Amino acid sequence: MKAVQYREIGKGPEVVEIDVPEPGPGQIRLKITAVGLCHSDWFLMDLPEEQYSYGLPLTLGHEGAGVADKLGDGVQGVQLGASYAVYGPWGCGLCHACAQGAENYCPHAAAMGIAPPGLGAPGAMAEYMIVDDARHLVALGDLDPVESVSLTDAGLTPYHAIRAAQHKLYAGSTAVVIGAGGLGHVGIQILRAISPARVIAVDLNEDKLALAAEVGAHETLISGPETAAKIRELTGGLGAEAVFDFVGAQPTLDMSREAVAIDGYIHIVGIGGGVLPTGFFSTPFGAAVRAPYWGTRNELMEVLDLARVGAVSVHTERYGIDDAVTAYGKLHEGTVRGRAVVVP
Ligand code: NAD
Ligand code: ZN
């Protein structure tokens, strides 16, 4: 089968031919119907050798959807031929966090050698993939897999961050979304769907800001040294009750700190390598800073339900698997509008 793999440090993704995997006991083989490209794929492919810990060769793709194609021994409750989304942050399944569906915060996964597909385990950017357990599947039903696959990360991750800040997002409040890319453009829609907050979108790129406005941002601002002051101006000097930074680089973290209101929330979702010093004189009184990771199983179900009622939709660019390298190139140079999705 064809697969898109990262094989050599610094060389970027390659389309290769590998064997179709066989599901072991308890595992499910999916025939992939769609797989999303995430900027985190570039985060790991840009790492120097001494910091790279995901194994090689690595089949990419941590946003996956497919049709159940073959069941390993003992698998129950999965219907052959039915369409599923893959819940990616795999945990041990047995601990307190996993019992709440928060496998993204499983403290045992790493020590047990459990890694998410595409981020250690073989991912979804292939014709087939193995899912380790039935609990990591969520039925898609009638949802179009290409349109909805990226909800497993570009939807789930902002949803998880926004839900945790929801008590700050009352009527009259302001939420700032920094980075209106794959995650950000879905985050804006989630904010509009589940809160009455005014949404200010910030990006470097005019085209991304046009998309942000299209999907529901009330205001859009070009990102720069003056942006935080503009956010303060738009909020009568108070700042934003919640800032969601989908970039996480030093300039956007500085902006987040300058733009957040007293007792507000900063959620650093982007892994751009910046650091936000928090302390009595460095952040406004009461401001909370958090760097959330991915989301919970039940939150994935909720995001898919938001799509079912038409409240959230991913803007997608489709590519065949042979064009995956081109799609990754566009993601790297910042010219994907919404999310790039490969359809094997
Ligand atoms: P993307 O490339 O689709 O979008 C990034 C957007 O940020 C682009 O629109 C770009 O123009 C904009 N941008 C870049 N620099 C900026 C700046 N200085 N100011 C304002 N906007 C700027 O990326 P994505 O796939 O949406 O991922 C966003 C980030 O989230 C990445 O760092 C990714 O690794 C990270 N991520 C984190 C988690 C998590 O669990 N915390 C999960 C998925 C992705
Ligand atoms: Zn991701």
Side-chain angles (χ1 to χ4, degrees), residues 37-40 43 153 157 178-184 202-205 208 223 246-247 251-252 255 268-272 292-294 331 338-339:
L37 281 69
C38 179
H39 218 115
S40 300
F43 167 79
D153 180 14
T157 303
I178 305 175
L183 272 65
V202 178
D203 204 289
L204 285 173
N205 178 313
K208 308 289 177 107
S223 184
F246 295 106
V247 180
T252 60
M255 182 195 305
I268 306 168
V269 181
I271 51 181
Y293 171 63
W294 222 328
L331 179 62
R339 203 65 155 173

PDB file of all heavy atoms in Angstrom, residues 37-40 43 153 157 178-184 202-205 208 223 246-247 251-252 255 268-272 292-294 331 338-339, ligand 1:
ATOM      1  N   LEU A  37      -3.627  17.073   7.498  1.00  0.00           N
ATOM      2  CA  LEU A  37      -2.236  17.488   7.720  1.00  0.00           C
ATOM      3  C   LEU A  37      -2.222  18.574   8.789  1.00  0.00           C
ATOM      4  O   LEU A  37      -2.954  19.559   8.675  1.00  0.00           O
ATOM      5  CB  LEU A  37      -1.626  18.080   6.444  1.00  0.00           C
ATOM      6  CG  LEU A  37      -1.150  17.119   5.358  1.00  0.00           C
ATOM      7  CD1 LEU A  37      -2.334  16.416   4.710  1.00  0.00           C
ATOM      8  CD2 LEU A  37      -0.345  17.867   4.310  1.00  0.00           C
ATOM      9  N   CYS A  38      -1.400  18.386   9.796  1.00  0.00           N
ATOM     10  CA  CYS A  38      -1.358  19.323  10.926  1.00  0.00           C
ATOM     11  C   CYS A  38       0.029  19.973  10.985  1.00  0.00           C
ATOM     12  O   CYS A  38       1.030  19.344  10.639  1.00  0.00           O
ATOM     13  CB  CYS A  38      -1.630  18.567  12.214  1.00  0.00           C
ATOM     14  SG  CYS A  38      -1.580  19.595  13.697  1.00  0.00           S
ATOM     15  N   HIS A  39       0.051  21.218  11.470  1.00  0.00           N
ATOM     16  CA  HIS A  39       1.365  21.867  11.580  1.00  0.00           C
ATOM     17  C   HIS A  39       2.283  21.131  12.550  1.00  0.00           C
ATOM     18  O   HIS A  39       3.510  21.238  12.469  1.00  0.00           O
ATOM     19  CB  HIS A  39       1.227  23.340  11.964  1.00  0.00           C
ATOM     20  CG  HIS A  39       2.226  24.198  11.259  1.00  0.00           C
ATOM     21  ND1 HIS A  39       1.898  25.168  10.356  1.00  0.00           N
ATOM     22  CD2 HIS A  39       3.588  24.158  11.295  1.00  0.00           C
ATOM     23  CE1 HIS A  39       3.004  25.706   9.879  1.00  0.00           C
ATOM     24  NE2 HIS A  39       4.043  25.113  10.426  1.00  0.00           N
ATOM     25  N   SER A  40       1.716  20.337  13.466  1.00  0.00           N
ATOM     26  CA  SER A  40       2.554  19.548  14.384  1.00  0.00           C
ATOM     27  C   SER A  40       3.413  18.536  13.609  1.00  0.00           C
ATOM     28  O   SER A  40       4.483  18.147  14.088  1.00  0.00           O
ATOM     29  CB  SER A  40       1.683  18.817  15.406  1.00  0.00           C
ATOM     30  OG  SER A  40       0.934  19.737  16.158  1.00  0.00           O
ATOM     31  N   PHE A  43       6.312  20.375  13.021  1.00  0.00           N
ATOM     32  CA  PHE A  43       7.071  20.561  14.259  1.00  0.00           C
ATOM     33  C   PHE A  43       8.055  19.408  14.424  1.00  0.00           C
ATOM     34  O   PHE A  43       9.245  19.607  14.657  1.00  0.00           O
ATOM     35  CB  PHE A  43       6.128  20.628  15.475  1.00  0.00           C
ATOM     36  CG  PHE A  43       6.862  20.515  16.776  1.00  0.00           C
ATOM     37  CD1 PHE A  43       7.526  21.606  17.310  1.00  0.00           C
ATOM     38  CD2 PHE A  43       6.917  19.302  17.465  1.00  0.00           C
ATOM     39  CE1 PHE A  43       8.233  21.497  18.500  1.00  0.00           C
ATOM     40  CE2 PHE A  43       7.619  19.179  18.648  1.00  0.00           C
ATOM     41  CZ  PHE A  43       8.278  20.280  19.164  1.00  0.00           C
ATOM     42  N   ASP A 153      -8.545  16.740  15.452  1.00  0.00           N
ATOM     43  CA  ASP A 153      -7.469  17.524  16.065  1.00  0.00           C
ATOM     44  C   ASP A 153      -7.733  19.024  15.891  1.00  0.00           C
ATOM     45  O   ASP A 153      -7.877  19.746  16.868  1.00  0.00           O
ATOM     46  CB  ASP A 153      -6.104  17.130  15.479  1.00  0.00           C
ATOM     47  CG  ASP A 153      -4.945  17.911  16.095  1.00  0.00           C
ATOM     48  OD1 ASP A 153      -5.137  18.563  17.135  1.00  0.00           O
ATOM     49  OD2 ASP A 153      -3.830  17.867  15.536  1.00  0.00           O
ATOM     50  N   THR A 157      -8.853  20.020  19.526  1.00  0.00           N
ATOM     51  CA  THR A 157      -7.886  20.756  20.351  1.00  0.00           C
ATOM     52  C   THR A 157      -8.416  22.142  20.745  1.00  0.00           C
ATOM     53  O   THR A 157      -8.400  22.489  21.935  1.00  0.00           O
ATOM     54  CB  THR A 157      -6.528  20.821  19.633  1.00  0.00           C
ATOM     55  OG1 THR A 157      -6.111  19.475  19.371  1.00  0.00           O
ATOM     56  CG2 THR A 157      -5.480  21.522  20.464  1.00  0.00           C
ATOM     57  N   ILE A 178      -5.453  33.818  18.150  1.00  0.00           N
ATOM     58  CA  ILE A 178      -4.226  34.178  17.429  1.00  0.00           C
ATOM     59  C   ILE A 178      -3.843  33.010  16.534  1.00  0.00           C
ATOM     60  O   ILE A 178      -3.630  31.889  17.012  1.00  0.00           O
ATOM     61  CB  ILE A 178      -3.076  34.496  18.413  1.00  0.00           C
ATOM     62  CG1 ILE A 178      -3.501  35.584  19.406  1.00  0.00           C
ATOM     63  CG2 ILE A 178      -1.824  34.929  17.629  1.00  0.00           C
ATOM     64  CD1 ILE A 178      -2.463  35.875  20.482  1.00  0.00           C
ATOM     65  N   GLY A 179      -3.770  33.268  15.220  1.00  0.00           N
ATOM     66  CA  GLY A 179      -3.467  32.206  14.247  1.00  0.00           C
ATOM     67  C   GLY A 179      -4.751  31.607  13.704  1.00  0.00           C
ATOM     68  O   GLY A 179      -5.361  30.756  14.334  1.00  0.00           O
ATOM     69  N   ALA A 180      -5.190  32.080  12.541  1.00  0.00           N
ATOM     70  CA  ALA A 180      -6.450  31.606  11.954  1.00  0.00           C
ATOM     71  C   ALA A 180      -6.165  30.563  10.880  1.00  0.00           C
ATOM     72  O   ALA A 180      -6.651  30.639   9.761  1.00  0.00           O
ATOM     73  CB  ALA A 180      -7.245  32.780  11.392  1.00  0.00           C
ATOM     74  N   GLY A 181      -5.358  29.574  11.245  1.00  0.00           N
ATOM     75  CA  GLY A 181      -5.045  28.480  10.326  1.00  0.00           C
ATOM     76  C   GLY A 181      -5.979  27.307  10.554  1.00  0.00           C
ATOM     77  O   GLY A 181      -7.166  27.485  10.833  1.00  0.00           O
ATOM     78  N   GLY A 182      -5.427  26.088  10.453  1.00  0.00           N
ATOM     79  CA  GLY A 182      -6.235  24.880  10.612  1.00  0.00           C
ATOM     80  C   GLY A 182      -7.002  24.888  11.933  1.00  0.00           C
ATOM     81  O   GLY A 182      -8.232  24.767  11.950  1.00  0.00           O
ATOM     82  N   LEU A 183      -6.301  25.009  13.040  1.00  0.00           N
ATOM     83  CA  LEU A 183      -6.972  25.000  14.344  1.00  0.00           C
ATOM     84  C   LEU A 183      -7.781  26.279  14.566  1.00  0.00           C
ATOM     85  O   LEU A 183      -8.918  26.236  15.036  1.00  0.00           O
ATOM     86  CB  LEU A 183      -5.950  24.849  15.489  1.00  0.00           C
ATOM     87  CG  LEU A 183      -5.580  23.423  15.907  1.00  0.00           C
ATOM     88  CD1 LEU A 183      -4.855  22.675  14.799  1.00  0.00           C
ATOM     89  CD2 LEU A 183      -4.740  23.410  17.180  1.00  0.00           C
ATOM     90  N   GLY A 184      -7.174  27.417  14.232  1.00  0.00           N
ATOM     91  CA  GLY A 184      -7.798  28.703  14.561  1.00  0.00           C
ATOM     92  C   GLY A 184      -9.128  28.913  13.864  1.00  0.00           C
ATOM     93  O   GLY A 184     -10.091  29.393  14.478  1.00  0.00           O
ATOM     94  N   VAL A 202      -6.558  37.185  14.982  1.00  0.00           N
ATOM     95  CA  VAL A 202      -5.272  37.826  14.680  1.00  0.00           C
ATOM     96  C   VAL A 202      -4.462  36.869  13.806  1.00  0.00           C
ATOM     97  O   VAL A 202      -4.359  35.678  14.111  1.00  0.00           O
ATOM     98  CB  VAL A 202      -4.489  38.108  15.980  1.00  0.00           C
ATOM     99  CG1 VAL A 202      -3.136  38.732  15.677  1.00  0.00           C
ATOM    100  CG2 VAL A 202      -5.295  38.990  16.935  1.00  0.00           C
ATOM    101  N   ASP A 203      -3.921  37.364  12.715  1.00  0.00           N
ATOM    102  CA  ASP A 203      -3.027  36.544  11.891  1.00  0.00           C
ATOM    103  C   ASP A 203      -2.063  37.470  11.155  1.00  0.00           C
ATOM    104  O   ASP A 203      -2.284  38.685  11.064  1.00  0.00           O
ATOM    105  CB  ASP A 203      -3.833  35.692  10.884  1.00  0.00           C
ATOM    106  CG  ASP A 203      -3.080  34.441  10.443  1.00  0.00           C
ATOM    107  OD1 ASP A 203      -2.078  34.578   9.693  1.00  0.00           O
ATOM    108  OD2 ASP A 203      -3.470  33.322  10.831  1.00  0.00           O
ATOM    109  N   LEU A 204      -1.007  36.880  10.620  1.00  0.00           N
ATOM    110  CA  LEU A 204      -0.024  37.640   9.838  1.00  0.00           C
ATOM    111  C   LEU A 204      -0.507  37.859   8.417  1.00  0.00           C
ATOM    112  O   LEU A 204      -0.012  38.742   7.718  1.00  0.00           O
ATOM    113  CB  LEU A 204       1.292  36.838   9.741  1.00  0.00           C
ATOM    114  CG  LEU A 204       2.185  36.766  10.964  1.00  0.00           C
ATOM    115  CD1 LEU A 204       3.317  35.778  10.683  1.00  0.00           C
ATOM    116  CD2 LEU A 204       2.752  38.148  11.282  1.00  0.00           C
ATOM    117  N   ASN A 205      -1.465  37.021   8.010  1.00  0.00           N
ATOM    118  CA  ASN A 205      -1.790  36.872   6.614  1.00  0.00           C
ATOM    119  C   ASN A 205      -3.223  37.364   6.362  1.00  0.00           C
ATOM    120  O   ASN A 205      -4.165  36.919   7.018  1.00  0.00           O
ATOM    121  CB  ASN A 205      -1.628  35.358   6.336  1.00  0.00           C
ATOM    122  CG  ASN A 205      -1.972  34.955   4.940  1.00  0.00           C
ATOM    123  OD1 ASN A 205      -3.005  35.349   4.410  1.00  0.00           O
ATOM    124  ND2 ASN A 205      -1.111  34.145   4.354  1.00  0.00           N
ATOM    125  N   LYS A 208      -5.874  34.691   5.560  1.00  0.00           N
ATOM    126  CA  LYS A 208      -6.342  33.932   6.732  1.00  0.00           C
ATOM    127  C   LYS A 208      -7.354  34.775   7.519  1.00  0.00           C
ATOM    128  O   LYS A 208      -8.326  34.254   8.071  1.00  0.00           O
ATOM    129  CB  LYS A 208      -5.184  33.545   7.653  1.00  0.00           C
ATOM    130  CG  LYS A 208      -4.023  32.839   6.985  1.00  0.00           C
ATOM    131  CD  LYS A 208      -4.367  31.426   6.560  1.00  0.00           C
ATOM    132  CE  LYS A 208      -3.195  30.789   5.840  1.00  0.00           C
ATOM    133  NZ  LYS A 208      -2.516  29.783   6.608  1.00  0.00           N
ATOM    134  N   SER A 223      -1.274  40.723  12.768  1.00  0.00           N
ATOM    135  CA  SER A 223      -0.407  40.458  13.906  1.00  0.00           C
ATOM    136  C   SER A 223       0.861  41.303  13.845  1.00  0.00           C
ATOM    137  O   SER A 223       1.552  41.339  12.823  1.00  0.00           O
ATOM    138  CB  SER A 223      -0.025  38.974  13.873  1.00  0.00           C
ATOM    139  OG  SER A 223       0.730  38.621  14.989  1.00  0.00           O
ATOM    140  N   PHE A 246      -2.834  30.074  18.977  1.00  0.00           N
ATOM    141  CA  PHE A 246      -2.588  28.899  18.132  1.00  0.00           C
ATOM    142  C   PHE A 246      -1.262  29.012  17.385  1.00  0.00           C
ATOM    143  O   PHE A 246      -1.064  28.355  16.370  1.00  0.00           O
ATOM    144  CB  PHE A 246      -3.753  28.691  17.155  1.00  0.00           C
ATOM    145  CG  PHE A 246      -5.048  28.356  17.845  1.00  0.00           C
ATOM    146  CD1 PHE A 246      -6.068  29.292  17.949  1.00  0.00           C
ATOM    147  CD2 PHE A 246      -5.233  27.105  18.425  1.00  0.00           C
ATOM    148  CE1 PHE A 246      -7.261  28.989  18.611  1.00  0.00           C
ATOM    149  CE2 PHE A 246      -6.414  26.790  19.087  1.00  0.00           C
ATOM    150  CZ  PHE A 246      -7.424  27.737  19.177  1.00  0.00           C
ATOM    151  N   VAL A 247      -0.387  29.867  17.892  1.00  0.00           N
ATOM    152  CA  VAL A 247       0.960  30.000  17.318  1.00  0.00           C
ATOM    153  C   VAL A 247       2.001  29.619  18.386  1.00  0.00           C
ATOM    154  O   VAL A 247       2.825  28.737  18.183  1.00  0.00           O
ATOM    155  CB  VAL A 247       1.205  31.422  16.767  1.00  0.00           C
ATOM    156  CG1 VAL A 247       2.609  31.540  16.170  1.00  0.00           C
ATOM    157  CG2 VAL A 247       0.143  31.774  15.717  1.00  0.00           C
ATOM    158  N   PRO A 251       6.610  36.282  19.913  1.00  0.00           N
ATOM    159  CA  PRO A 251       5.822  37.511  19.709  1.00  0.00           C
ATOM    160  C   PRO A 251       4.332  37.331  20.040  1.00  0.00           C
ATOM    161  O   PRO A 251       3.701  38.263  20.542  1.00  0.00           O
ATOM    162  CB  PRO A 251       6.001  37.807  18.206  1.00  0.00           C
ATOM    163  CG  PRO A 251       7.149  36.972  17.750  1.00  0.00           C
ATOM    164  CD  PRO A 251       7.296  35.830  18.687  1.00  0.00           C
ATOM    165  N   THR A 252       3.780  36.143  19.785  1.00  0.00           N
ATOM    166  CA  THR A 252       2.342  35.979  20.068  1.00  0.00           C
ATOM    167  C   THR A 252       2.103  35.753  21.558  1.00  0.00           C
ATOM    168  O   THR A 252       1.062  36.144  22.085  1.00  0.00           O
ATOM    169  CB  THR A 252       1.726  34.827  19.238  1.00  0.00           C
ATOM    170  OG1 THR A 252       2.402  33.596  19.549  1.00  0.00           O
ATOM    171  CG2 THR A 252       1.826  35.110  17.756  1.00  0.00           C
ATOM    172  N   MET A 255       2.169  39.112  22.995  1.00  0.00           N
ATOM    173  CA  MET A 255       0.883  39.742  22.665  1.00  0.00           C
ATOM    174  C   MET A 255      -0.212  39.226  23.606  1.00  0.00           C
ATOM    175  O   MET A 255      -1.030  40.005  24.115  1.00  0.00           O
ATOM    176  CB  MET A 255       0.526  39.409  21.210  1.00  0.00           C
ATOM    177  CG  MET A 255      -0.761  40.028  20.713  1.00  0.00           C
ATOM    178  SD  MET A 255      -1.326  39.239  19.178  1.00  0.00           S
ATOM    179  CE  MET A 255       0.092  39.399  18.123  1.00  0.00           C
ATOM    180  N   ILE A 268      -2.248  28.521  25.661  1.00  0.00           N
ATOM    181  CA  ILE A 268      -1.182  28.410  24.661  1.00  0.00           C
ATOM    182  C   ILE A 268      -1.343  27.054  23.988  1.00  0.00           C
ATOM    183  O   ILE A 268      -1.026  26.014  24.573  1.00  0.00           O
ATOM    184  CB  ILE A 268       0.204  28.497  25.329  1.00  0.00           C
ATOM    185  CG1 ILE A 268       0.323  29.771  26.181  1.00  0.00           C
ATOM    186  CG2 ILE A 268       1.313  28.424  24.274  1.00  0.00           C
ATOM    187  CD1 ILE A 268       1.548  29.791  27.088  1.00  0.00           C
ATOM    188  N   VAL A 269      -1.857  27.068  22.769  1.00  0.00           N
ATOM    189  CA  VAL A 269      -2.092  25.816  22.046  1.00  0.00           C
ATOM    190  C   VAL A 269      -0.974  25.561  21.034  1.00  0.00           C
ATOM    191  O   VAL A 269      -0.530  24.433  20.853  1.00  0.00           O
ATOM    192  CB  VAL A 269      -3.472  25.836  21.352  1.00  0.00           C
ATOM    193  CG1 VAL A 269      -3.718  24.524  20.618  1.00  0.00           C
ATOM    194  CG2 VAL A 269      -4.589  26.093  22.363  1.00  0.00           C
ATOM    195  N   GLY A 270      -0.506  26.611  20.388  1.00  0.00           N
ATOM    196  CA  GLY A 270       0.564  26.474  19.405  1.00  0.00           C
ATOM    197  C   GLY A 270       1.871  26.079  20.075  1.00  0.00           C
ATOM    198  O   GLY A 270       2.110  26.445  21.233  1.00  0.00           O
ATOM    199  N   ILE A 271       2.680  25.332  19.343  1.00  0.00           N
ATOM    200  CA  ILE A 271       3.938  24.871  19.937  1.00  0.00           C
ATOM    201  C   ILE A 271       5.113  25.569  19.250  1.00  0.00           C
ATOM    202  O   ILE A 271       6.093  24.955  18.854  1.00  0.00           O
ATOM    203  CB  ILE A 271       4.052  23.331  19.921  1.00  0.00           C
ATOM    204  CG1 ILE A 271       3.775  22.740  18.532  1.00  0.00           C
ATOM    205  CG2 ILE A 271       3.049  22.720  20.882  1.00  0.00           C
ATOM    206  CD1 ILE A 271       3.854  21.209  18.507  1.00  0.00           C
ATOM    207  N   GLY A 272       4.980  26.889  19.181  1.00  0.00           N
ATOM    208  CA  GLY A 272       5.978  27.711  18.498  1.00  0.00           C
ATOM    209  C   GLY A 272       7.237  27.986  19.296  1.00  0.00           C
ATOM    210  O   GLY A 272       8.090  28.759  18.854  1.00  0.00           O
ATOM    211  N   PRO A 292      -2.714  23.583  27.024  1.00  0.00           N
ATOM    212  CA  PRO A 292      -3.469  22.330  26.923  1.00  0.00           C
ATOM    213  C   PRO A 292      -2.975  21.460  25.767  1.00  0.00           C
ATOM    214  O   PRO A 292      -2.348  21.957  24.828  1.00  0.00           O
ATOM    215  CB  PRO A 292      -4.905  22.797  26.659  1.00  0.00           C
ATOM    216  CG  PRO A 292      -4.754  24.116  25.972  1.00  0.00           C
ATOM    217  CD  PRO A 292      -3.490  24.738  26.507  1.00  0.00           C
ATOM    218  N   TYR A 293      -3.255  20.176  25.885  1.00  0.00           N
ATOM    219  CA  TYR A 293      -2.853  19.217  24.849  1.00  0.00           C
ATOM    220  C   TYR A 293      -4.092  18.477  24.350  1.00  0.00           C
ATOM    221  O   TYR A 293      -4.819  17.854  25.146  1.00  0.00           O
ATOM    222  CB  TYR A 293      -1.833  18.234  25.436  1.00  0.00           C
ATOM    223  CG  TYR A 293      -1.474  17.050  24.548  1.00  0.00           C
ATOM    224  CD1 TYR A 293      -0.862  17.250  23.316  1.00  0.00           C
ATOM    225  CD2 TYR A 293      -1.753  15.748  24.944  1.00  0.00           C
ATOM    226  CE1 TYR A 293      -0.539  16.169  22.498  1.00  0.00           C
ATOM    227  CE2 TYR A 293      -1.428  14.662  24.140  1.00  0.00           C
ATOM    228  CZ  TYR A 293      -0.817  14.882  22.921  1.00  0.00           C
ATOM    229  OH  TYR A 293      -0.500  13.800  22.117  1.00  0.00           O
ATOM    230  N   TRP A 294      -4.349  18.576  23.015  1.00  0.00           N
ATOM    231  CA  TRP A 294      -5.383  17.800  22.319  1.00  0.00           C
ATOM    232  C   TRP A 294      -6.701  17.842  23.094  1.00  0.00           C
ATOM    233  O   TRP A 294      -7.080  18.904  23.574  1.00  0.00           O
ATOM    234  CB  TRP A 294      -4.880  16.376  22.090  1.00  0.00           C
ATOM    235  CG  TRP A 294      -5.200  15.819  20.714  1.00  0.00           C
ATOM    236  CD1 TRP A 294      -6.293  16.110  19.942  1.00  0.00           C
ATOM    237  CD2 TRP A 294      -4.410  14.870  19.973  1.00  0.00           C
ATOM    238  NE1 TRP A 294      -6.216  15.380  18.767  1.00  0.00           N
ATOM    239  CE2 TRP A 294      -5.101  14.632  18.751  1.00  0.00           C
ATOM    240  CE3 TRP A 294      -3.214  14.209  20.228  1.00  0.00           C
ATOM    241  CZ2 TRP A 294      -4.611  13.736  17.789  1.00  0.00           C
ATOM    242  CZ3 TRP A 294      -2.737  13.328  19.266  1.00  0.00           C
ATOM    243  CH2 TRP A 294      -3.420  13.083  18.064  1.00  0.00           C
ATOM    244  N   LEU A 331       1.570  23.688   3.446  1.00  0.00           N
ATOM    245  CA  LEU A 331       1.370  23.899   4.893  1.00  0.00           C
ATOM    246  C   LEU A 331       2.588  24.593   5.495  1.00  0.00           C
ATOM    247  O   LEU A 331       2.476  25.515   6.298  1.00  0.00           O
ATOM    248  CB  LEU A 331       1.118  22.546   5.579  1.00  0.00           C
ATOM    249  CG  LEU A 331       0.919  22.574   7.097  1.00  0.00           C
ATOM    250  CD1 LEU A 331      -0.308  23.402   7.478  1.00  0.00           C
ATOM    251  CD2 LEU A 331       0.782  21.154   7.652  1.00  0.00           C
ATOM    252  N   GLY A 338      -7.513  27.019   5.620  1.00  0.00           N
ATOM    253  CA  GLY A 338      -8.220  26.004   6.403  1.00  0.00           C
ATOM    254  C   GLY A 338      -7.302  24.812   6.621  1.00  0.00           C
ATOM    255  O   GLY A 338      -6.197  24.962   7.134  1.00  0.00           O
ATOM    256  N   ARG A 339      -7.731  23.622   6.187  1.00  0.00           N
ATOM    257  CA  ARG A 339      -6.967  22.402   6.435  1.00  0.00           C
ATOM    258  C   ARG A 339      -6.734  21.644   5.136  1.00  0.00           C
ATOM    259  O   ARG A 339      -7.666  21.500   4.324  1.00  0.00           O
ATOM    260  CB  ARG A 339      -7.786  21.501   7.370  1.00  0.00           C
ATOM    261  CG  ARG A 339      -6.989  20.479   8.171  1.00  0.00           C
ATOM    262  CD  ARG A 339      -6.064  21.107   9.131  1.00  0.00           C
ATOM    263  NE  ARG A 339      -5.697  20.322  10.284  1.00  0.00           N
ATOM    264  CZ  ARG A 339      -4.769  20.708  11.150  1.00  0.00           C
ATOM    265  NH1 ARG A 339      -4.116  21.852  10.969  1.00  0.00           N
ATOM    266  NH2 ARG A 339      -4.473  19.973  12.192  1.00  0.00           N
TER     267      ARG A 339
HETATM  268  P1  NAD B   1      -1.504  26.289  10.558  1.00  0.00           P
HETATM  269  O1  NAD B   1      -0.213  26.434   9.866  1.00  0.00           O
HETATM  270  O2  NAD B   1      -2.664  25.757   9.822  1.00  0.00           O
HETATM  271  O3  NAD B   1      -1.960  27.713  11.165  1.00  0.00           O
HETATM  272  C1  NAD B   1      -1.087  28.589  11.816  1.00  0.00           C
HETATM  273  C2  NAD B   1      -1.606  30.015  11.564  1.00  0.00           C
HETATM  274  O4  NAD B   1      -0.866  30.903  12.382  1.00  0.00           O
HETATM  275  C3  NAD B   1      -1.434  30.482  10.119  1.00  0.00           C
HETATM  276  O5  NAD B   1      -2.653  31.024   9.651  1.00  0.00           O
HETATM  277  C4  NAD B   1      -0.340  31.531  10.214  1.00  0.00           C
HETATM  278  O6  NAD B   1      -0.483  32.554   9.236  1.00  0.00           O
HETATM  279  C5  NAD B   1      -0.565  32.068  11.618  1.00  0.00           C
HETATM  280  N1  NAD B   1       0.615  32.709  12.222  1.00  0.00           N
HETATM  281  C6  NAD B   1       1.916  32.331  12.158  1.00  0.00           C
HETATM  282  N2  NAD B   1       2.680  33.202  12.853  1.00  0.00           N
HETATM  283  C7  NAD B   1       1.843  34.126  13.378  1.00  0.00           C
HETATM  284  C8  NAD B   1       2.021  35.275  14.181  1.00  0.00           C
HETATM  285  N3  NAD B   1       3.232  35.668  14.589  1.00  0.00           N
HETATM  286  N4  NAD B   1       0.931  35.987  14.530  1.00  0.00           N
HETATM  287  C9  NAD B   1      -0.303  35.619  14.134  1.00  0.00           C
HETATM  288  N5  NAD B   1      -0.548  34.538  13.351  1.00  0.00           N
HETATM  289  C10 NAD B   1       0.523  33.813  12.969  1.00  0.00           C
HETATM  290  O7  NAD B   1      -1.196  25.429  11.867  1.00  0.00           O
HETATM  291  P2  NAD B   1      -2.206  24.488  12.713  1.00  0.00           P
HETATM  292  O8  NAD B   1      -2.149  23.113  12.162  1.00  0.00           O
HETATM  293  O9  NAD B   1      -3.482  25.189  12.899  1.00  0.00           O
HETATM  294  O10 NAD B   1      -1.435  24.418  14.111  1.00  0.00           O
HETATM  295  C11 NAD B   1      -1.325  25.578  14.922  1.00  0.00           C
HETATM  296  C12 NAD B   1      -0.365  25.303  16.066  1.00  0.00           C
HETATM  297  O11 NAD B   1      -0.969  24.427  17.018  1.00  0.00           O
HETATM  298  C13 NAD B   1       0.934  24.601  15.658  1.00  0.00           C
HETATM  299  O12 NAD B   1       1.974  25.118  16.470  1.00  0.00           O
HETATM  300  C14 NAD B   1       0.670  23.160  15.991  1.00  0.00           C
HETATM  301  O13 NAD B   1       1.846  22.429  16.165  1.00  0.00           O
HETATM  302  C15 NAD B   1      -0.097  23.339  17.274  1.00  0.00           C
HETATM  303  N6  NAD B   1      -0.928  22.214  17.725  1.00  0.00           N
HETATM  304  C16 NAD B   1      -0.989  22.022  19.061  1.00  0.00           C
HETATM  305  C17 NAD B   1      -1.815  21.039  19.572  1.00  0.00           C
HETATM  306  C18 NAD B   1      -1.913  20.844  21.051  1.00  0.00           C
HETATM  307  O14 NAD B   1      -2.415  19.804  21.471  1.00  0.00           O
HETATM  308  N7  NAD B   1      -1.481  21.788  21.874  1.00  0.00           N
HETATM  309  C19 NAD B   1      -2.569  20.244  18.696  1.00  0.00           C
HETATM  310  C20 NAD B   1      -2.493  20.489  17.327  1.00  0.00           C
HETATM  311  C21 NAD B   1      -1.681  21.499  16.851  1.00  0.00           C
END
